[in-house]
Amino acid sequence: MGIVKISDELHEEIRKASSAMVRSINSQAEFWIKIGMLAETNPTLTYSEILREQLQLAAVEINQPIPLSKRNHG
């Protein structure tokens, strides 16, 4: 494991995103790095397509998304 130097501003954005996504700061940074690498090496795929592919590779069952109007916001 290495140490990556990033700006204080980027670290703060990672911290905020990690809180919203219920990930550790390191996990959020690793997620963004992985998605960025996948996006650069697969420029024709959308973010959603990249996530769907990664979920399929992890054998996560993907069901049809629930329309926003039918989601429980409680």
Side-chain angles (χ1 to χ4, degrees), residues 14-59:
I14 294 170
R15 185 195 64 75
K16 291 188 288 187
S18 72
S19 178
M21 300 304 291
V22 192
R23 296 183 177 119
S24 69
I25 292 173
N26 286 344
S27 291
Q28 184 64 41
E30 184 176 346
F31 175 77
W32 279 354
I33 290 167
K34 182 176 183 177
I35 295 299
M37 288 175 57
L38 289 168
E40 282 189 348
T41 58
N42 298 281
T44 61
L45 296 180
T46 66
Y47 173 74
S48 295
E49 290 168 335
I50 290 170
L51 287 184
R52 182 176 302 277
E53 182 178 283
Q54 292 302 297
L55 289 170
Q56 288 173 341
L57 289 172

